[in-house]
Amino acid sequence: MFKNVVVSVFLSFFVVIIVHGIIFGGTDRLVDRDFTSLHRNARTAAVNDSDAIRIAGVYNNSEWLERLLVDSMKKTAELINSRGGISGRKLELSFHDVQGDQIENLARIQTVCSPADVAVCVGPLKSDYVVPARSITTFSSVPLVSPSAVYSEKLRSLDNDSYVTLFPPLKALVNATLDHMNRQKIDDLVIVCPENGTYGDLYSTLLERYSQQIGGFHIIHRLTYQTPFNEFVVSSLLKSVLSRHQFDAVFYAGGTADFDKFMSVYSSLGLSVPVYATEIINTPSVRDAGYNTRIYIPFFNTDYLQANITGEYRIPLDENNPDFSFMAQWLINEVAEYLAEGNYDPVEMSDRIRRKTALVYENMDLNAAFFIDSISGPGREDTAAGDGSGEAFTGENRK
């Protein structure tokens, strides 16, 4: 018991030191190149000698979207194993449920992903955790591959960077949102955004920047709230804006957990303007809530993506969210394709998947791949939302 406490304290201290270094600009010094080389050599040997291909990850089982991602990855791995595995070796996926704070999540990543025979660490599933997570995995020289987190332009350059994501460039989703707002003649916009460093913050920042470049809005008000979401505070912020200006739409940049609270504030203020949000609120709980206003979010045209992204192992996409189900399937396919070539090397693996993913998106018509549609509101089944290229899309245009 005492030993476990000591290990836990050490891991927490290690994570805090890494985060401290990131904040104050010392990341490159913390990832010691000599130790990283030792970890790389040890991992290369252990994975190549292992009788199974071990993939580890951390997720929150209480969050619906994370459960869906893990379930889709497991089903894809089961399909691979049913066909004999990769060069005769079976995939062993080990996902650990952690429902604590960031320190607990990062400590568990350190624990489950650092063993030398782990070929891949899946994650993080939240963009908020990317910076410290990639410091941990780069130090341990284990590929950190995510189906759902962004690769922010704010990330500092890191030697032998382990982190790679298959998630689309954020500019594709932001531009689809702006294009839809332009066609809906949104002139004045209010952004309700969580604190700095979150996915919503990154999305909102690009939304503001790109809109300024194209001159898309007359006025943008950005209201930032601290988590946990406080209805009184957000209501007061919105009232302050309403006392001076009218606006045409609200962009909600927070997560699913706070969306119902936000809509409670929205209703209490008597608002009826459209609500835009990020794709992460596309969950059954939001879709089935019966909000009596239009809620617009990005969708992935999975028919188009499947036609343009090769993958030997295809499973039926989860009908509740085919978008992220596809991303999870694609991740396992990319991992399998690299491992099938033999001669595993963790740094080479991250580099290869990163280059290939970038090339896929560079050669893709992003306007056709991502579009905006409504998930709530009166008469939504009668109104098609465009994809940014002038072609009409509805929910029936995608799997």
Side-chain angles (χ1 to χ4, degrees):
M1 178 67 179
F2 178 74
K3 180 181 178 181
N4 291 337
V5 171
V6 171
V7 171
S8 178
V9 170
F10 172 77
L11 288 173
S12 297
F13 176 75
F14 176 72
V15 171
V16 169
I17 291 298
I18 286 179
V19 174
H20 181 275
I22 292 166
I23 294 172
F24 291 101
T27 305
D28 50 354
R29 292 191 298 273
L30 286 168
V31 183
D32 188 285
R33 293 173 180 80
D34 292 335
F35 280 111
T36 300
S37 296
L38 293 175
H39 290 309
R40 176 180 181 176
N41 294 338
R43 191 170 306 281
T44 298
V47 171
N48 285 325
D49 290 344
S50 178
D51 58 355
I53 297 170
R54 295 181 172 84
I55 300 174
V58 173
Y59 79 116
N60 187 340
N61 189 60
S62 67
E63 296 194 10
W64 174 84
L65 192 56
E66 295 194 21
R67 289 200 310 272
L68 180 145
L69 285 165
V70 169
D71 183 61
S72 295
M73 284 185 277
K74 286 182 175 179
K75 287 179 178 178
T76 307
E78 288 169 2
L79 175 61
I80 293 173
N81 289 339
S82 71
R83 297 182 183 179
I86 305 299
S87 302
R89 295 193 294 171
K90 297 294 181 72
L91 296 182
E92 290 185 1
L93 271 62
S94 178
F95 287 96
H96 300 256
D97 177 23
V98 179
Q99 299 183 25
D101 59 15
Q102 186 184 74
I103 293 297
E104 185 175 347
N105 273 266
L106 297 174
R108 187 64 67 88
I109 288 174
Q110 167 71 13
T111 301
V112 305
C113 295
S114 61
D117 61 349
V118 173
V120 181
C121 183
V122 173
L125 302 184
K126 291 185 176 68
S127 298
D128 311 19
Y129 293 176
V130 167
V131 174
R134 81 164 183 154
S135 292
I136 292 171
T137 54
T138 297
F139 177 81
S140 299
S141 195
V142 57
L144 179 68
V145 187
S146 177
S148 56
V150 297
Y151 198 105
S152 169
E153 60 186 34
K154 296 180 180 179
L155 284 178
R156 292 185 58 184
S157 176
L158 203 61
D159 287 344
N160 297 326
D161 186 1
S162 69
Y163 175 59
V164 55
T165 180
L166 278 66
F167 195 76
L170 200 51
K171 66 179 182 180
L173 304 184
V174 171
N175 282 333
T177 299
L178 286 171
D179 181 76
H180 189 276
M181 288 180 174
N182 180 58
R183 286 181 286 106
Q184 295 293 316
K185 302 187 185 307
I186 305 300
D187 195 35
D188 296 335
L189 179 70
V190 171
I191 298 175
V192 179
C193 179
E195 62 259 21
N196 184 49
T198 60
Y199 175 65
D201 169 58
L202 296 174
Y203 200 113
S204 299
T205 298
L206 287 185
L207 189 69
E208 287 188 281
R209 182 192 305 168
Y210 292 166
S211 68
Q212 291 169 358
Q213 293 173 358
I214 65 175
F217 298 107
H218 176 240
I219 296 175
I220 295 181
H221 308 271
R222 181 163 174 170
L223 310 178
T224 301
Y225 66 88
Q226 302 294 315
T227 54
F229 188 98
N230 185 297
E231 293 182 46
F232 175 78
V233 171
V234 174
S235 177
S236 298
L237 291 172
L238 282 171
K239 283 179 181 178
S240 177
V241 173
L242 283 168
S243 68
R244 304 188 305 274
H245 302 283
Q246 295 297 315
F247 47 88
D248 302 318
V250 179
F251 183 81
Y252 169 78
T256 305
D258 294 328
F259 188 70
D260 194 58
K261 295 176 183 177
F262 166 74
M263 290 305 297
S264 177
V265 171
Y266 173 97
S267 299
S268 70
L269 295 176
L271 296 175
S272 59
V273 297
V275 174
Y276 287 82
T278 68
E279 74 289 341
I280 62 175
I281 72 163
N282 184 19
T283 64
S285 62
V286 173
R287 294 197 302 265
D288 297 340
Y291 299 115
N292 192 33
T293 191
R294 274 199 189 282
I295 300 171
Y296 290 115
I297 64 168
F299 283 98
F300 301 176
N301 183 354
T302 49
D303 287 332
Y304 179 87
L305 294 176
Q306 288 188 315
N308 286 272
I309 297 174
T310 59
E312 182 178 351
Y313 306 100
R314 298 289 179 92
I315 60 169
L317 300 182
D318 192 304
E319 62 182 12
N320 283 318
N321 193 310
D323 303 21
F324 281 97
S325 180
F326 173 78
M327 301 306 295
Q329 172 192 272
W330 183 19
L331 184 151
I332 297 299
N333 268 273
E334 287 297 320
V335 168
E337 182 177 313
Y338 172 80
L339 291 170
E341 297 178 4
N343 298 319
Y344 166 90
D345 177 271
V347 175
E348 181 187 279
M349 182 180 193
S350 295
D351 289 343
R352 177 83 62 85
I353 296 177
R354 188 183 300 112
R355 290 196 304 270
K356 183 177 177 182
T357 302
L359 189 62
V360 166
Y361 284 123
E362 286 174 9
N363 293 326
M364 185 181 291
D365 181 354
L366 298 179
N367 289 330
F370 307 101
F371 61 97
I372 304 298
D373 207 348
S374 59
I375 59 171
S376 184
R380 69 186 178 90
E381 67 277 6
D382 300 323
T383 304
D387 69 331
S389 63
E391 181 181 352
F393 278 97
T394 67
E396 296 177 353
N397 292 114
R398 66 189 184 90
K399 287 185 178 179

